[in-house]
Amino acid sequence: MAKTALVVGASGIVGSATADLLVAQGWTVHGLARRPVEQPGVAPVAADLTDAAATAQALAGVNPDAVFITTWLRQDSEAENIRVNSAMVRHLLDGLPRPTGPRHVALVTGLKHYLGPFEAYGKGSLPQTPFREEQGRLDVDNFYYAQEDELFAAAARDGFSWSVHRPHTVIGKAVGNAMNMGTTLAVYATLCRETGRPFRFPGSAAQWSGLTDMTDAGLLARHLLWAAETPGAANEAFNVVNGDVFRWQWMWARIAAWFGLEPAPFDGTVQPLEQQMAGDADLWRTIAESEGLAEPNLARLASPWHTDADLGRPIEVVTDISKSRRMGFTAYQPTDDAFFALFERLRADRLIP
């Protein structure tokens, strides 16, 4: 019999990729979002996870074999991030019918587990790179830790298995997503090409010259499914990256070439995208109208603040994925190909010209 999945955050970058994979694998898929979008093969579940009663009501008819939590809600402070996002996980797991058979719950967090939250990002005493799962938690408040604690408590109560997945920056498609480097860079490159502005790397010298890695949304979806179906992966936390490493000075030239641009020389000065793109909303609307694009609202495509946070880090960030490899997950995705596949999809969907 087909297994049933609940994908929480099904309209986001990771959630949509996970839902697509599960549908293709023959699962019955329910996709939860505050405002569900139409997705082939996915039964929509509209729910606001900050509302415990409404969440329980929305989930009354859903009894999944596997739950994939791929969403969070950004707040103005880490204290609020902890309060809101831990409650969302708690309301979700409390609202589901108690398992009548084996159930697995996967939680997607990220490398802020090792780097700290936005308020203390990349500061203080950090673990040595490459980051490894056994390095544990930092001595700072972090909503990822609070989410994990809610997961662990519910698993102990209800008897389900769990997994935690820590990707690096995720490459994938979603409109209206708050953390979307790939589409942000595609929009920025388009603006540079249309206006003749230089295609400048916005980040730090450490990111320009140091090694880094990233995570393709499709690869992360495969990792989530692998953990749900692999008994030995139960009750474990995993780093999830593509498997290659690169320097931005190389990748920036690759992205520039895809858009027919020459990369501007990097002089070591941080020039954040949030500043470079601050006045571009009207320009993007004009380009969208001229080119017949599907989304004229720049804010729904680009998230400069998040791209600036990643590319402005003062430290090298490399992730170890040996734990997954040893346990049998061998998928690999060249990161430049992941960017190019995203750009092709954005063009096909008329999100960029």
Side-chain angles (χ1 to χ4, degrees):
M1 295 178 62
K3 290 185 177 181
T4 298
L6 174 65
V7 179
V8 183
S11 60
I13 293 176
V14 178
S16 60
T18 303
D20 288 347
L21 176 64
L22 291 166
V23 169
Q25 294 291 320
W27 287 58
T28 298
V29 181
H30 300 269
L32 186 150
R34 281 177 293 169
R35 293 177 294 276
V37 299
E38 185 176 345
Q39 295 172 267
V42 178
V45 178
D48 179 356
L49 295 180
T50 64
D51 185 328
T55 297
Q57 183 177 6
L59 294 174
V62 181
N63 189 15
D65 300 290
V67 180
F68 302 93
I69 306 172
T70 70
T71 190
W72 69 290
L73 196 58
R74 188 187 182 203
Q75 304 299 307
D76 291 335
S77 69
E78 192 59 20
E80 279 299 288
N81 276 331
I82 291 169
R83 184 185 68 82
V84 171
N85 288 284
S86 62
M88 288 168 61
V89 174
R90 183 169 64 254
H91 295 164
L92 169 73
L93 298 177
D94 287 351
L96 284 168
R98 294 298 179 260
T100 56
R103 177 180 289 173
H104 184 82
V105 180
L107 171 66
V108 178
T109 61
L111 293 196
K112 287 190 290 297
H113 182 93
Y114 308 107
L115 287 162
F118 287 117
E119 290 180 3
Y121 194 58
K123 300 175 182 176
S125 178
L126 299 176
Q128 188 179 48
T129 57
F131 296 137
R132 292 180 171 85
E133 294 89 346
E134 64 268 19
Q135 289 168 321
R137 296 179 174 185
L138 301 175
D139 187 21
V140 295
D141 292 335
N142 190 323
F143 82 88
Y144 283 170
Y145 306 159
Q147 287 182 309
E148 287 183 344
D149 289 342
E150 294 291 347
L151 175 67
F152 301 156
R157 178 192 68 202
D158 294 339
F160 59 76
S161 63
W162 55 265
S163 57
V164 174
H165 304 254
R166 299 169 186 158
H168 200 163
T169 305
V170 178
I171 303 170
K173 184 204 165 191
V175 176
N177 192 273
M179 297 164 57
N180 194 339
M181 179 189 284
T183 303
T184 298
L185 293 181
V187 168
Y188 174 61
T190 300
L191 288 165
C192 290
R193 186 180 63 203
E194 295 295 318
T195 62
R197 293 187 332 212
F199 185 59
R200 298 186 185 279
F201 180 72
S204 67
Q207 291 304 303
W208 179 254
S209 301
L211 290 173
T212 193
D213 48 29
M214 294 184 71
T215 307
D216 178 69
L219 181 138
L220 177 53
R222 283 185 281 168
H223 195 275
L224 288 163
L225 180 56
W226 167 78
E229 295 185 326
T230 303
N235 306 328
E236 296 283 353
F238 298 99
N239 297 330
V240 191
V241 287
N242 289 337
D244 64 344
V245 295
F246 64 90
R247 302 180 199 277
W248 272 105
Q249 59 186 262
W250 175 81
M251 185 67 76
W252 199 249
R254 297 280 287 161
I255 293 173
W258 196 94
F259 285 94
L261 296 167
E262 286 291 329
F266 179 65
D267 63 3
T269 304
V270 177
Q271 301 185 54
L273 289 180
E274 197 163 24
Q275 295 176 12
Q276 292 192 51
M277 301 173 69
D280 285 338
D282 290 342
L283 174 57
W284 183 259
R285 187 171 297 277
T286 298
I287 293 171
E289 291 172 355
S290 174
E291 298 286 348
L293 301 183
E295 182 51 75
N297 185 348
L298 180 64
R300 284 183 51 77
L301 292 176
S303 52
W305 69 272
H306 180 257
T307 300
D308 287 337
D310 275 2
L311 298 185
R313 289 182 297 214
I315 57 173
E316 180 178 275
V317 177
V318 184
T319 316
D320 184 80
I321 195 175
S322 299
K323 183 176 181 179
S324 293
R325 296 283 189 256
R326 290 189 179 102
M327 297 177 71
F329 183 79
T330 59
Y332 168 81
Q333 172 64 61
T335 300
D336 52 342
D337 287 350
F339 272 121
F340 300 157
L342 171 64
F343 299 157
E344 293 283 4
R345 187 177 178 191
L346 295 175
R347 182 167 286 172
D349 291 345
R350 300 304 301 157
L351 292 170
I352 61 173

